[in-house]
Amino acid sequence: MPDVFSTINLKGGVGKTTTTVALAEFMSGRLDKRVLVIDLDPQTNATVMLIGEEKWRELNEREWTLARLFKDSLDPDNKRFDLDKTLQAAVSNVSEARTIDLLPSSLDLIDVQDRLATVPSGRFYAVNPTELLWRAVKSRLDDYDIVIVDCPPNLGIITLNGLRISRGFIIPTIPDVLSTYGIPQILKRVSQFSSEIAENIEPLGIIITKYQANSTVHRNTIKRLRANGAPGVFESMVPQANQFAGAAEHGGRMTLKQKWGYQGLADHFERLSREVSDALEG
């Protein structure tokens, strides 16, 4: 079985998706891992970063996205999800990262999640609504060394589907009060869900993003997070940099250094990818 982990934070704008894509590209390009990115976030940012907006629009129009999977559960007499057509092989515009596949997201997931929450459990018969993703992809997971699930910024049914197939999760966060406010809630809810399904879902650690070394708030917040003990804070922190936002643009072929910048950002992500890999193996 591959190492499967989710990325989650209840606060938007913390660099969650950018960190997800960077980890995928460095794990593929530097650690020689076969990586699957599962984009469950209806903002579709990971999808667009990896295949570009034009390709995403084509897939969305044909309903070759994960939204179709969840729509099928709402209309079991009209099932149209096709895993082979939805799974996008060899994505990413990074020349070294040739072993990344993608299950793309859709804006339709916003509406689908709201509807899933109101459907009576009987409509699913023997299928638990938090196991829809697992049942759909479990036959293909062994094709990969690493599976990264980019979760929505909430703890709804779509997120629980991502956690259901995960053995751990990471929390990317800016080290300030607002960005870290929901971490205790995430830890509590995932722990409860883990107990309910009798599967271990371990907090692998907190990733500090957009770090500003000259910020007293950032330094004090990191001290507080580390003092809390669990989960731990990864040593490799991602500094605030122009490339952090610029990397979200899907362009022509480029190297990891070109995409993630020459101001140390690439080196930070490479170290971080090794740390996360070690945490998974531990």
Side-chain angles (χ1 to χ4, degrees):
M1 286 293 291
D3 289 320
V4 186
F5 68 95
S6 291
T7 57
I8 183 171
N9 193 319
L10 303 185
K11 175 76 165 57
V14 299
K16 172 182 65 69
T17 295
T18 305
T19 299
T20 297
V21 172
L23 287 174
E25 291 180 337
F26 278 91
M27 286 177 169
S28 171
R30 291 288 187 264
L31 304 185
D32 296 320
K33 302 291 187 181
R34 298 167 300 166
V35 182
L36 172 64
V37 175
I38 300 178
D39 188 3
L40 291 181
D41 193 332
Q43 295 182 76
T44 73
N45 290 337
T47 295
V48 173
M49 285 180 70
L50 287 168
I51 63 175
E53 187 169 359
E54 183 176 344
K55 179 65 174 179
W56 170 77
R57 289 187 183 279
E58 176 189 334
L59 296 174
N60 199 52
E61 288 175 3
R62 296 186 178 188
E63 290 200 283
W64 292 348
T65 74
L66 288 171
R68 184 67 251 172
L69 169 66
F70 294 102
K71 287 179 181 178
D72 283 359
S73 70
L74 297 168
D75 186 8
D77 296 326
N78 186 30
K79 292 189 175 183
R80 302 206 305 270
F81 178 71
D82 188 321
L83 180 60
D84 290 329
K85 291 179 179 177
T86 303
L87 185 64
Q88 303 300 300
V91 299
S92 174
N93 59 339
V94 172
S95 56
E96 303 104 309
R98 299 173 180 172
T99 55
I100 304 175
D101 292 353
L102 169 71
L103 283 171
S105 182
S106 169
L107 298 170
D108 293 344
L109 281 173
I110 299 173
D111 176 58
V112 171
Q113 174 155 286
D114 291 341
R115 293 166 62 197
L116 280 173
T118 62
V119 172
S121 58
R123 284 285 301 278
F124 294 94
Y125 301 101
V127 180
N128 187 312
T130 63
E131 293 191 345
L132 297 169
L133 177 66
W134 176 70
R135 287 173 176 267
V137 304
K138 62 181 179 179
S139 64
R140 303 293 287 272
L141 293 181
D142 284 338
D143 294 343
Y144 303 96
D145 303 307
I146 299 283
V147 178
I148 311 176
V149 186
D150 190 35
C151 293
N154 59 57
L155 293 168
I157 290 176
I158 302 293
T159 297
L160 295 181
N161 269 268
L163 291 168
R164 170 63 182 86
I165 69 170
S166 300
R167 56 164 292 204
F169 63 99
I170 59 176
I171 306 174
T173 186
I174 299 171
D176 59 30
V177 175
L178 291 178
S179 302
T180 59
Y181 182 77
I183 290 178
Q185 184 182 359
I186 294 171
L187 297 173
K188 180 180 179 180
R189 183 67 185 98
V190 176
S191 177
Q192 291 171 340
F193 180 63
S194 177
S195 297
E196 289 168 7
I197 65 174
E199 297 281 353
N200 289 329
I201 310 173
E202 299 292 337
L204 300 174
I206 296 170
I207 293 177
I208 301 300
T209 62
K210 302 184 180 181
Y211 174 60
Q212 299 178 40
N214 61 352
S215 169
T216 301
V217 170
H218 282 202
R219 293 197 304 271
N220 289 340
T221 301
I222 293 169
K223 287 180 182 178
R224 174 175 57 81
L225 291 172
R226 285 184 167 147
N228 289 341
V233 178
F234 286 103
E235 289 297 323
S236 300
M237 297 184 289
V238 183
Q240 177 70 47
N242 292 334
Q243 285 83 1
F244 200 86
E249 299 179 7
H250 183 87
R253 301 296 289 180
M254 61 184 70
T255 66
L256 283 167
K257 283 285 190 181
Q258 288 171 331
K259 182 167 185 175
W260 297 104
Y262 289 92
Q263 297 177 353
L265 195 58
D267 293 334
H268 286 285
F269 272 127
E270 180 169 352
R271 288 195 295 269
L272 182 60
S273 67
R274 296 183 187 279
E275 268 198 83
V276 172
S277 182
D278 289 344
L280 288 166
E281 293 176 0

